[in-house]
Amino acid sequence: MLEQLIHFFHDMPNVINAWSVSLGPVVYLLLFLIIFSETGLVILPFLPGDSLLFALGALAATANSNLKLPYLMALLPLAALSGDLLNYHIGKFLGKKFLNSDSGWINKKHLHKTQAFYDRHGGKTICFARFVPIVRTYAPFVAGVGQMKISKFLSYSVFGAYVWIFSFLSMGYYFGNIPSIKTNFHFVILAIIIISVLPGIFEIVRSNREQRTATGNIRK
């Protein structure tokens, strides 16, 4: 499975193109399910998001592609929004049971980091989290556990979903087929992943620094 994931990330455009050829229009359903699962299932935070959207935009810009940008832009925000809603309701109705159990299905470390991010940025986390891998999977769950009003959650979620999907599809569409980028596409995907996780890393460092400061003050 690890080898398959490495192959997928290394040769993402060709893999997706092969899907579109073999599956035809059904490939849109597969892509919907991937985006839906990454945002909607708290046990699957490792699925690709930013890099997949960039690759889809690049493929949609190529001649004779089976993938069409208008279809992707119409469908994938709905996948992200639907996933958010499912994750929110799981957190709202079952979240505390998961948190109080010893189940290994949910990474408590990632959950607590998302909670810290949420405590700092409030409801805006739902928007910001779209651009931070792992955090975007846990943020709706944390919002549900915290009993955020559904109207407030939806306002942030809808805005975040469309900005996230449109921005990465557009970047891939307009820049993904530049010769230098196309030749080094796997490096571009790696750069997107690294840049995407930087805000989360900065937040972790800041949180750890504040905890050490608070602990030092208590000892004094």
Side-chain angles (χ1 to χ4, degrees):
M1 183 176 179
L2 180 59
E3 289 180 357
Q4 290 177 340
L5 285 173
I6 293 173
H7 171 66
F8 177 74
F9 280 105
H10 187 268
D11 201 24
M12 190 179 293
N14 289 329
V15 173
I16 298 173
N17 189 55
W19 289 351
S20 67
V21 171
S22 61
L23 297 176
V26 179
V27 73
Y28 289 105
L29 175 59
L30 176 60
L31 297 173
F32 182 99
L33 290 175
I34 292 174
I35 297 298
F36 172 84
S37 298
E38 192 207 10
T39 57
L41 301 178
V42 74
I43 61 174
L44 296 175
F46 54 83
L47 290 176
D50 307 333
S51 53
L52 174 64
L53 293 173
F54 186 89
L56 291 173
L59 282 171
T62 59
N64 301 319
S65 173
N66 292 328
L67 296 172
K68 306 302 178 185
L69 187 65
Y71 295 165
L72 294 171
M73 285 189 163
L75 186 66
L76 297 186
L78 297 178
L81 180 58
S82 300
D84 260 13
L85 283 171
L86 173 63
N87 211 347
Y88 170 86
H89 283 97
I90 291 174
K92 184 174 182 179
F93 296 108
L94 300 175
K96 291 184 178 179
K97 292 182 180 178
F98 278 118
L99 292 176
N100 294 328
S101 70
D102 295 326
S103 172
W105 287 100
I106 296 179
N107 189 313
K108 302 288 182 63
K109 186 177 180 181
H110 290 159
L111 189 60
H112 292 318
K113 289 175 182 176
T114 304
Q115 181 67 60
F117 196 92
Y118 183 84
D119 290 341
R120 181 171 177 81
H121 297 289
K124 291 180 291 185
T125 300
I126 306 302
C127 289
F128 295 156
R130 289 290 185 189
F131 299 89
V132 184
I134 297 178
V135 174
R136 68 169 153 258
T137 304
Y138 286 93
F141 183 85
V142 170
V145 173
Q147 302 294 308
M148 178 187 283
K149 289 184 178 180
I150 186 65
S151 57
K152 183 178 181 181
F153 174 80
L154 277 175
S155 64
Y156 286 118
S157 182
V158 170
F159 178 78
Y162 278 91
V163 170
W164 178 50
I165 298 292
F166 280 22
S167 61
F168 276 95
L169 284 177
S170 297
M171 284 191 291
Y173 188 84
Y174 291 108
F175 301 108
N177 287 291
I178 295 174
S180 59
I181 292 179
K182 193 171 183 179
T183 303
N184 301 286
F185 203 86
H186 55 288
F187 290 117
V188 175
I189 295 299
L190 181 60
I192 291 173
I193 294 172
I194 292 173
I195 293 171
S196 298
V197 301
L198 281 178
I201 294 174
F202 291 149
E203 186 64 26
I204 292 169
V205 171
R206 184 203 61 79
S207 178
N208 290 338
R209 184 179 300 167
E210 288 184 354
Q211 287 179 4
R212 287 197 298 269
T213 302
T215 302
N217 291 335
I218 291 174
R219 289 176 179 176
K220 291 179 181 180

